[in-house]
Amino acid sequence: MSAKLIDGKAIAQQVRDEIRAEVEAWVAAGNRRPGLATVLVGDDPASAVYVGGKQKASAEVGIEGFRHDLPATATEDEVVAVLHELNADERVSGILLQLPTPAHIDGSRLTTLIDAGKDVDGLTPISAGLLAKGLPGLRPCTPAGVIELLRRHDVQMEGAEAVVVGRSDLVGKPVAALLLAENATVTVCHSRTRDLPAVCRRADILIAAVGRPEMVKGDWVRPGATVIDVGINRTDSGLVGDVEFESAAEVAGLITPVPGGVGPMTIAMLLRNTLDAARAAAASS
Ligand code: NDP
């Protein structure tokens, strides 16, 4: 392997340490402690683990946790009432509705009810609009984590050819918008893209967010390119990304592993968003 590894675990820890120090300084200066509210509906074990992880991580950096766990029998109106209550609660800087919700609840519609100033997942249409227009706002966590990894490795984004494979609202589109805001020349690929390998070979920065195990091969990678693998795929041989790591690492200059690359950055950026939301709320009150 000739590529240098991007250690997402270490960078996420760095970010979390920085946030802990910033939260303490913020509180010491007389400001209200930032608060993160999670809303979990139903008893899906994976969702419960994710919510627990987010609450634990926020407690570790000094963010106050507000946990609302509703039974699977909760009605949409009940969830709406909780979201309205949290929107109005000054102790709550950020609100996160854990998806997926049970089938009888339209999770993506309910997400739109979250106040844009508290949208720490950065997924409401208002947050997406602010990002598309290049206006200040809360950015989606995984895409923001991708940019943070590039920044902390001093990867030149301005003027770079960036190719994003995947155009989901969750990852592909916001990553592309963030790279554009960094003045990269961005190409977004998807399932109808013609000659995907050739397009990928143009990239100085190649982002894979497809959800197909090891689809991006080493000979799709331009020598020396930075390869960021967002994919998380569970296979019989364990967790793998969307990039065939072995072959890509022979060609790339920098590469993220899976696991331990982009994954750990998501929660770190959620904490960053919660602190940013608390600061913005204080500035506007
Ligand atoms: P989606 O399924 O929502 O989107 C996948 C995208 O890939 C679509 O735009 C689709 O194109 C495109 N695509 C599918 N097949 C091909 C193909 N053969 N060639 C080119 N493009 C293709 O996935 P997400 O964006 O939500 O997630 C992508 C991956 O990232 C997943 O593995 C997911 O688990 C992971 N992930 C990781 C996170 C983390 O914290 N690290 C967080 C979120 C996601 P089209 O639009 O044409 O259908």
Side-chain angles (χ1 to χ4, degrees):
M1 161 174 158
S2 58
K4 195 173 158 213
L5 265 193
I6 295 179
D7 186 346
K9 221 171 143 187
I11 294 177
Q13 189 56 53
Q14 243 174 43
V15 171
R16 287 159 74 146
D17 291 344
E18 289 164 13
I19 295 169
R20 188 186 319 113
E22 287 176 46
V23 167
E24 285 325 309
W26 174 252
V27 173
N31 296 294
R32 190 195 300 277
R33 187 172 288 283
L36 175 66
T38 54
V39 181
L40 172 68
V41 189
D43 37 29
D44 175 53
S47 293
V49 169
Y50 291 141
V51 165
K54 289 166 187 174
Q55 285 290 355
K56 180 165 173 274
S58 49
E60 278 167 12
V61 299
I63 290 174
E64 194 174 351
F66 300 90
R67 191 168 170 161
H68 293 260
D69 291 357
L70 283 77
T73 52
T75 63
E76 221 169 69
D77 285 350
E78 284 167 337
V79 184
V80 169
V82 170
L83 293 177
H84 284 321
E85 186 191 308
L86 295 173
N87 277 342
D89 189 337
E90 288 187 350
R91 297 168 307 159
V92 173
S93 328
I95 305 169
L96 187 156
L97 174 63
Q98 184 66 40
L99 300 177
T101 48
H104 67 284
I105 288 176
D106 184 349
S108 52
R109 184 183 79 80
L110 294 193
T111 299
T112 67
L113 302 179
I114 295 172
D115 186 304
K118 298 189 179 191
D119 174 25
V120 283
D121 263 342
L123 295 174
T124 62
I126 291 181
S127 297
L130 293 171
L131 172 58
K133 289 183 79 69
L135 294 171
L138 295 164
R139 308 308 192 208
C141 301
T142 303
V146 168
I147 300 297
E148 197 65 29
L149 290 178
L150 295 172
R151 276 203 193 115
R152 293 199 185 224
H153 275 272
D154 293 324
V155 174
Q156 166 97 21
M157 288 182 263
E158 183 161 333
E161 287 278 349
V163 173
V164 180
V165 189
R167 58 173 167 181
S168 70
D169 290 344
L170 183 62
V171 189
K173 278 184 205 155
V175 164
L178 289 169
L179 286 164
L180 194 57
E182 297 291 336
N183 296 315
T185 302
V186 184
T187 304
V188 183
C189 303
H190 45 78
S191 63
R192 317 288 167 85
T193 297
R194 257 187 287 134
D195 201 354
L196 183 61
V199 180
C200 290
R201 274 193 289 271
R202 296 209 301 255
D204 301 310
I205 300 170
L206 178 59
I207 315 279
V210 190
R212 288 181 180 259
E214 302 181 319
M215 188 186 83
V216 175
K217 310 296 180 196
D219 63 358
W220 299 21
V221 176
R222 178 174 173 160
T226 297
V227 177
I228 306 285
D229 189 352
V230 185
I232 299 178
N233 306 289
R234 280 167 230 288
T235 69
D236 292 343
S237 47
L239 214 60
V240 299
D242 292 341
V243 176
E244 190 181 72
F245 183 83
E246 292 292 323
S247 61
E250 289 302 326
V251 191
L254 275 171
I255 190 166
T256 54
V258 176
V262 175
M265 293 302 290
T266 300
I267 286 191
M269 301 319 286
L270 172 71
L271 305 175
R272 164 61 62 203
N273 274 351
T274 306
L275 175 57
D276 287 351
R279 285 185 169 138
S284 68
S285 68

PDB file of all heavy atoms in Angstrom, residues 191-209:
ATOM      1  N   SER A 191     -26.432   6.421 -10.761  1.00  0.00           N
ATOM      2  CA  SER A 191     -26.581   5.127 -11.431  1.00  0.00           C
ATOM      3  C   SER A 191     -26.701   5.257 -12.951  1.00  0.00           C
ATOM      4  O   SER A 191     -26.539   4.274 -13.670  1.00  0.00           O
ATOM      5  CB  SER A 191     -27.789   4.386 -10.867  1.00  0.00           C
ATOM      6  OG  SER A 191     -28.965   5.123 -11.133  1.00  0.00           O
ATOM      7  N   ARG A 192     -26.981   6.449 -13.474  1.00  0.00           N
ATOM      8  CA  ARG A 192     -27.111   6.613 -14.936  1.00  0.00           C
ATOM      9  C   ARG A 192     -25.865   7.229 -15.558  1.00  0.00           C
ATOM     10  O   ARG A 192     -25.877   7.552 -16.747  1.00  0.00           O
ATOM     11  CB  ARG A 192     -28.314   7.491 -15.280  1.00  0.00           C
ATOM     12  CG  ARG A 192     -29.568   7.209 -14.510  1.00  0.00           C
ATOM     13  CD  ARG A 192     -30.204   5.880 -14.949  1.00  0.00           C
ATOM     14  NE  ARG A 192     -31.230   5.489 -13.977  1.00  0.00           N
ATOM     15  CZ  ARG A 192     -32.482   5.916 -14.004  1.00  0.00           C
ATOM     16  NH1 ARG A 192     -32.875   6.718 -14.949  1.00  0.00           N
ATOM     17  NH2 ARG A 192     -33.341   5.536 -13.086  1.00  0.00           N
ATOM     18  N   THR A 193     -24.833   7.435 -14.764  1.00  0.00           N
ATOM     19  CA  THR A 193     -23.615   8.055 -15.305  1.00  0.00           C
ATOM     20  C   THR A 193     -22.964   7.118 -16.323  1.00  0.00           C
ATOM     21  O   THR A 193     -22.823   5.921 -16.074  1.00  0.00           O
ATOM     22  CB  THR A 193     -22.632   8.355 -14.145  1.00  0.00           C
ATOM     23  OG1 THR A 193     -23.245   9.300 -13.285  1.00  0.00           O
ATOM     24  CG2 THR A 193     -21.311   8.901 -14.656  1.00  0.00           C
ATOM     25  N   ARG A 194     -22.581   7.684 -17.465  1.00  0.00           N
ATOM     26  CA  ARG A 194     -21.901   6.883 -18.496  1.00  0.00           C
ATOM     27  C   ARG A 194     -20.417   6.783 -18.179  1.00  0.00           C
ATOM     28  O   ARG A 194     -19.807   7.772 -17.794  1.00  0.00           O
ATOM     29  CB  ARG A 194     -22.069   7.546 -19.871  1.00  0.00           C
ATOM     30  CG  ARG A 194     -23.098   6.853 -20.727  1.00  0.00           C
ATOM     31  CD  ARG A 194     -23.107   7.417 -22.131  1.00  0.00           C
ATOM     32  NE  ARG A 194     -23.708   8.752 -22.134  1.00  0.00           N
ATOM     33  CZ  ARG A 194     -23.182   9.799 -22.769  1.00  0.00           C
ATOM     34  NH1 ARG A 194     -22.044   9.702 -23.430  1.00  0.00           N
ATOM     35  NH2 ARG A 194     -23.802  10.956 -22.748  1.00  0.00           N
ATOM     36  N   ASP A 195     -19.843   5.630 -18.340  1.00  0.00           N
ATOM     37  CA  ASP A 195     -18.418   5.381 -18.124  1.00  0.00           C
ATOM     38  C   ASP A 195     -17.921   5.970 -16.793  1.00  0.00           C
ATOM     39  O   ASP A 195     -17.033   6.839 -16.754  1.00  0.00           O
ATOM     40  CB  ASP A 195     -17.588   5.929 -19.297  1.00  0.00           C
ATOM     41  CG  ASP A 195     -16.212   5.235 -19.345  1.00  0.00           C
ATOM     42  OD1 ASP A 195     -15.906   4.445 -18.422  1.00  0.00           O
ATOM     43  OD2 ASP A 195     -15.447   5.502 -20.292  1.00  0.00           O
ATOM     44  N   LEU A 196     -18.501   5.447 -15.729  1.00  0.00           N
ATOM     45  CA  LEU A 196     -18.158   5.921 -14.385  1.00  0.00           C
ATOM     46  C   LEU A 196     -16.651   5.816 -14.080  1.00  0.00           C
ATOM     47  O   LEU A 196     -16.062   6.759 -13.545  1.00  0.00           O
ATOM     48  CB  LEU A 196     -18.991   5.142 -13.355  1.00  0.00           C
ATOM     49  CG  LEU A 196     -18.833   5.525 -11.899  1.00  0.00           C
ATOM     50  CD1 LEU A 196     -19.225   6.979 -11.651  1.00  0.00           C
ATOM     51  CD2 LEU A 196     -19.696   4.612 -11.019  1.00  0.00           C
ATOM     52  N   PRO A 197     -15.997   4.695 -14.458  1.00  0.00           N
ATOM     53  CA  PRO A 197     -14.555   4.619 -14.159  1.00  0.00           C
ATOM     54  C   PRO A 197     -13.775   5.788 -14.758  1.00  0.00           C
ATOM     55  O   PRO A 197     -12.894   6.360 -14.107  1.00  0.00           O
ATOM     56  CB  PRO A 197     -14.125   3.279 -14.781  1.00  0.00           C
ATOM     57  CG  PRO A 197     -15.372   2.463 -14.805  1.00  0.00           C
ATOM     58  CD  PRO A 197     -16.503   3.434 -15.035  1.00  0.00           C
ATOM     59  N   ALA A 198     -14.113   6.166 -15.993  1.00  0.00           N
ATOM     60  CA  ALA A 198     -13.378   7.263 -16.647  1.00  0.00           C
ATOM     61  C   ALA A 198     -13.623   8.582 -15.924  1.00  0.00           C
ATOM     62  O   ALA A 198     -12.695   9.387 -15.765  1.00  0.00           O
ATOM     63  CB  ALA A 198     -13.806   7.375 -18.115  1.00  0.00           C
ATOM     64  N   VAL A 199     -14.854   8.807 -15.470  1.00  0.00           N
ATOM     65  CA  VAL A 199     -15.144  10.053 -14.748  1.00  0.00           C
ATOM     66  C   VAL A 199     -14.367  10.058 -13.425  1.00  0.00           C
ATOM     67  O   VAL A 199     -13.748  11.061 -13.055  1.00  0.00           O
ATOM     68  CB  VAL A 199     -16.666  10.217 -14.497  1.00  0.00           C
ATOM     69  CG1 VAL A 199     -16.940  11.524 -13.751  1.00  0.00           C
ATOM     70  CG2 VAL A 199     -17.437  10.194 -15.804  1.00  0.00           C
ATOM     71  N   CYS A 200     -14.367   8.929 -12.740  1.00  0.00           N
ATOM     72  CA  CYS A 200     -13.654   8.852 -11.447  1.00  0.00           C
ATOM     73  C   CYS A 200     -12.158   9.112 -11.631  1.00  0.00           C
ATOM     74  O   CYS A 200     -11.528   9.747 -10.774  1.00  0.00           O
ATOM     75  CB  CYS A 200     -13.849   7.473 -10.800  1.00  0.00           C
ATOM     76  SG  CYS A 200     -15.531   7.233 -10.208  1.00  0.00           S
ATOM     77  N   ARG A 201     -11.607   8.643 -12.747  1.00  0.00           N
ATOM     78  CA  ARG A 201     -10.156   8.816 -12.981  1.00  0.00           C
ATOM     79  C   ARG A 201      -9.751  10.284 -13.143  1.00  0.00           C
ATOM     80  O   ARG A 201      -8.584  10.614 -13.070  1.00  0.00           O
ATOM     81  CB  ARG A 201      -9.699   7.995 -14.200  1.00  0.00           C
ATOM     82  CG  ARG A 201      -9.358   6.540 -13.836  1.00  0.00           C
ATOM     83  CD  ARG A 201      -8.617   5.826 -14.955  1.00  0.00           C
ATOM     84  NE  ARG A 201      -9.503   5.552 -16.084  1.00  0.00           N
ATOM     85  CZ  ARG A 201     -10.240   4.436 -16.202  1.00  0.00           C
ATOM     86  NH1 ARG A 201     -10.195   3.497 -15.279  1.00  0.00           N
ATOM     87  NH2 ARG A 201     -11.006   4.271 -17.248  1.00  0.00           N
ATOM     88  N   ARG A 202     -10.733  11.168 -13.354  1.00  0.00           N
ATOM     89  CA  ARG A 202     -10.411  12.597 -13.456  1.00  0.00           C
ATOM     90  C   ARG A 202     -10.189  13.233 -12.082  1.00  0.00           C
ATOM     91  O   ARG A 202      -9.690  14.356 -11.984  1.00  0.00           O
ATOM     92  CB  ARG A 202     -11.595  13.352 -14.095  1.00  0.00           C
ATOM     93  CG  ARG A 202     -11.926  12.975 -15.504  1.00  0.00           C
ATOM     94  CD  ARG A 202     -12.534  14.161 -16.236  1.00  0.00           C
ATOM     95  NE  ARG A 202     -13.745  14.678 -15.610  1.00  0.00           N
ATOM     96  CZ  ARG A 202     -14.975  14.472 -16.076  1.00  0.00           C
ATOM     97  NH1 ARG A 202     -15.164  13.750 -17.165  1.00  0.00           N
ATOM     98  NH2 ARG A 202     -16.020  14.999 -15.471  1.00  0.00           N
ATOM     99  N   ALA A 203     -10.585  12.519 -11.025  1.00  0.00           N
ATOM    100  CA  ALA A 203     -10.700  13.169  -9.715  1.00  0.00           C
ATOM    101  C   ALA A 203      -9.378  13.339  -8.989  1.00  0.00           C
ATOM    102  O   ALA A 203      -8.598  12.395  -8.853  1.00  0.00           O
ATOM    103  CB  ALA A 203     -11.641  12.354  -8.826  1.00  0.00           C
ATOM    104  N   ASP A 204      -9.156  14.580  -8.497  1.00  0.00           N
ATOM    105  CA  ASP A 204      -8.115  14.781  -7.483  1.00  0.00           C
ATOM    106  C   ASP A 204      -8.667  14.326  -6.136  1.00  0.00           C
ATOM    107  O   ASP A 204      -7.932  13.850  -5.275  1.00  0.00           O
ATOM    108  CB  ASP A 204      -7.758  16.271  -7.364  1.00  0.00           C
ATOM    109  CG  ASP A 204      -7.271  16.856  -8.676  1.00  0.00           C
ATOM    110  OD1 ASP A 204      -6.383  16.243  -9.293  1.00  0.00           O
ATOM    111  OD2 ASP A 204      -7.796  17.918  -9.100  1.00  0.00           O
ATOM    112  N   ILE A 205      -9.988  14.554  -5.965  1.00  0.00           N
ATOM    113  CA  ILE A 205     -10.670  14.126  -4.732  1.00  0.00           C
ATOM    114  C   ILE A 205     -11.847  13.257  -5.163  1.00  0.00           C
ATOM    115  O   ILE A 205     -12.723  13.714  -5.902  1.00  0.00           O
ATOM    116  CB  ILE A 205     -11.198  15.349  -3.942  1.00  0.00           C
ATOM    117  CG1 ILE A 205     -10.044  16.284  -3.554  1.00  0.00           C
ATOM    118  CG2 ILE A 205     -11.968  14.899  -2.707  1.00  0.00           C
ATOM    119  CD1 ILE A 205     -10.503  17.637  -2.991  1.00  0.00           C
ATOM    120  N   LEU A 206     -11.842  12.018  -4.732  1.00  0.00           N
ATOM    121  CA  LEU A 206     -12.894  11.077  -5.128  1.00  0.00           C
ATOM    122  C   LEU A 206     -13.686  10.673  -3.888  1.00  0.00           C
ATOM    123  O   LEU A 206     -13.120  10.152  -2.923  1.00  0.00           O
ATOM    124  CB  LEU A 206     -12.256   9.843  -5.785  1.00  0.00           C
ATOM    125  CG  LEU A 206     -13.196   8.727  -6.231  1.00  0.00           C
ATOM    126  CD1 LEU A 206     -14.218   9.221  -7.254  1.00  0.00           C
ATOM    127  CD2 LEU A 206     -12.390   7.557  -6.831  1.00  0.00           C
ATOM    128  N   ILE A 207     -14.990  10.956  -3.918  1.00  0.00           N
ATOM    129  CA  ILE A 207     -15.848  10.627  -2.774  1.00  0.00           C
ATOM    130  C   ILE A 207     -16.799   9.529  -3.216  1.00  0.00           C
ATOM    131  O   ILE A 207     -17.540   9.700  -4.190  1.00  0.00           O
ATOM    132  CB  ILE A 207     -16.701  11.844  -2.337  1.00  0.00           C
ATOM    133  CG1 ILE A 207     -15.890  13.138  -2.282  1.00  0.00           C
ATOM    134  CG2 ILE A 207     -17.443  11.546  -1.030  1.00  0.00           C
ATOM    135  CD1 ILE A 207     -15.068  13.381  -1.096  1.00  0.00           C
ATOM    136  N   ALA A 208     -16.812   8.412  -2.505  1.00  0.00           N
ATOM    137  CA  ALA A 208     -17.725   7.321  -2.844  1.00  0.00           C
ATOM    138  C   ALA A 208     -18.819   7.233  -1.797  1.00  0.00           C
ATOM    139  O   ALA A 208     -18.539   7.024  -0.611  1.00  0.00           O
ATOM    140  CB  ALA A 208     -16.965   6.006  -2.922  1.00  0.00           C
ATOM    141  N   ALA A 209     -20.069   7.438  -2.212  1.00  0.00           N
ATOM    142  CA  ALA A 209     -21.224   7.349  -1.298  1.00  0.00           C
ATOM    143  C   ALA A 209     -22.346   6.652  -2.045  1.00  0.00           C
ATOM    144  O   ALA A 209     -23.316   7.266  -2.479  1.00  0.00           O
ATOM    145  CB  ALA A 209     -21.651   8.736  -0.827  1.00  0.00           C
TER     146      ALA A 209
END
